[in-house]
Amino acid sequence: MPHLEGDLRIHPGARFAILASRWNPRIVDALVESARATFLANGVPEAGIDVVRVPGAWELPVAARALALAGRHAAIVALGCVVRGDTRHYAQVADGASEGLMRVALDTGVPVLNGVLAVERFEDALARAGGKPRQQGRGGGAGGDRDGRPPPQAPGAGMNEHHRRRPDGIDPVARSRSRRRALQAIYAWQINRADERSLLAQFAHEQAHEVADLEYFEDLVRGVLRHVDALDAALAGHLDRGIAEVDPIERAALRIAAYELMHRPDVPYRVVINEAIDSTKRFGSEHGHTYVNGVLDKAAAMLRGVEAKK
């Protein structure tokens, strides 16, 4: 009886693509590192590995198809992380990404390895990724076992439950985390236009895991959704393109910052700008934060003119 079985051999000159989501960067960055290490361990030179980033898992199939049709890569490893929420959005993204990646492989004949984690809790994702080269990313890079070991500590272990607060009672660390989570929520809203209640329910449960400021998170999300037309109008004069043409991550960061500049005078304008830059660095394109900085510097001069001149 014929027995057909392949082996791991790298053809000279072969290139491979690691396609990764920017969502949940703590997890996905560990997966990327693991996949890259596995490729190197199996004889693929550094120059033969391309890392391509997209905003979220939903965009992975589109980017994978473009890479596959270009014909420059022998295989594509898709990496991402989707954490369950309180609505169907989790299932839509996880299932849609999986089905889309499979369709790309079937339609193009280019192997597409699905390394997108779909988990119940953020802790589960950490247990699967762990930041170690032998975890999920390695399974993607080698096309093999994807089981992982739990990390030595749960998220936030070793941290005080309550961060050092300012005299006014505000926790700057918690506020920063709330802004980052709000950016993810607004980004999702820009794609699926979920109603306010569903959007808050989807993301609010993750706030507890991050020791974030839930009240501030909800204020940002509600504020952007309810004032989006006015926010876009305030930004329009400082953009070099229509708001709809701005990268979705940068658009979300700009809308949140515009809301804070217009409706949260208790937050210094420089804090607003710096937080928007930081969030865009974490989730946006390589130079996206520079664009956001330039737009907000001009917007702050108009919206917080007196304060900005001090």
Side-chain angles (χ1 to χ4, degrees):
M1 179 175 63
H3 182 75
L4 304 178
E5 182 178 357
D7 57 4
L8 286 173
R9 284 188 302 171
I10 306 301
H11 293 282
R15 301 189 65 81
F16 298 87
I18 299 175
L19 179 59
S21 162
R22 290 184 180 276
W23 211 266
N24 291 315
R26 181 178 177 185
I27 301 299
V28 179
D29 287 353
L31 300 180
V32 170
E33 178 188 352
S34 301
R36 178 188 280 119
T38 301
F39 276 127
L40 295 174
N42 283 275
V44 180
E46 185 75 39
I49 305 170
D50 295 320
V51 178
V52 180
R53 293 281 191 170
V54 297
W58 188 254
E59 289 77 28
L60 288 171
V62 176
R65 180 176 178 81
L67 290 173
L69 291 176
R72 292 193 292 268
H73 298 96
I76 300 167
V77 177
L79 302 174
C81 177
V82 185
V83 181
R84 178 179 292 279
D86 293 334
T87 71
R88 293 185 64 250
H89 182 68
Y90 158 88
Q92 291 172 340
V93 173
D95 293 345
S98 179
E99 293 171 4
L101 293 171
M102 179 178 66
R103 176 53 56 189
V104 171
L106 292 173
D107 289 348
T108 66
V110 176
V112 180
L113 288 81
N114 183 359
V116 179
L117 292 175
V119 297
E120 295 289 328
R121 304 175 306 151
F122 191 79
E123 292 90 339
D124 299 331
L126 280 175
R128 294 292 302 279
K132 303 294 185 181
R134 51 182 171 272
Q135 306 294 339
Q136 170 82 3
R138 179 176 181 178
D145 184 15
R146 294 179 181 173
D147 288 335
R149 297 182 305 172
Q153 289 185 322
M159 296 172 54
N160 292 328
E161 183 178 354
H162 300 288
H163 301 100
R164 180 174 298 176
R165 295 178 179 271
R166 300 192 324 224
D168 58 7
I170 293 175
D171 183 340
V173 175
R175 280 266 175 109
S176 294
R177 289 173 173 167
S178 295
R179 289 185 178 94
R180 292 196 294 269
R181 185 59 66 189
L183 183 143
Q184 293 180 322
I186 297 301
Y187 169 83
W189 172 78
Q190 291 172 164
I191 294 175
N192 60 27
R193 294 289 169 169
D195 63 88
E196 180 183 298
R197 182 176 179 180
S198 296
L199 192 67
L200 290 172
Q202 176 187 334
F203 287 91
H205 78 287
E206 298 179 14
Q207 295 293 92
H209 295 304
E210 296 186 350
V211 196
D213 187 333
L214 179 60
E215 181 179 352
Y216 200 74
F217 161 78
E218 292 182 344
D219 180 64
L220 293 178
V221 174
R222 288 195 176 99
V224 171
L225 268 58
R226 297 177 183 182
H227 301 282
V228 64
D229 290 339
L231 301 178
D232 290 351
L235 292 167
H238 312 298
L239 301 174
D240 60 356
R241 68 202 81 163
I243 188 68
E245 300 174 7
V246 175
D247 174 88
I249 293 291
E250 296 162 22
R251 191 191 322 158
L254 288 171
R255 283 170 163 168
I256 291 171
Y259 171 76
E260 289 189 280
L261 289 173
M262 295 174 68
H263 297 277
R264 297 298 305 234
D266 56 308
V267 182
Y269 85 96
R270 182 49 60 187
V271 171
V272 172
I273 295 176
N274 288 341
E275 290 283 347
I277 291 171
D278 179 69
S279 293
T280 310
K281 283 182 178 179
R282 288 172 176 265
F283 301 111
S285 60
E286 182 178 0
H287 301 293
H289 67 283
T290 303
Y291 182 72
V292 167
N293 190 4
V295 171
L296 292 181
D297 277 343
K298 297 174 185 177
M302 181 186 72
L303 299 172
R304 298 276 192 96
V306 176
E307 181 187 357
K309 290 178 181 179
K310 291 182 180 179

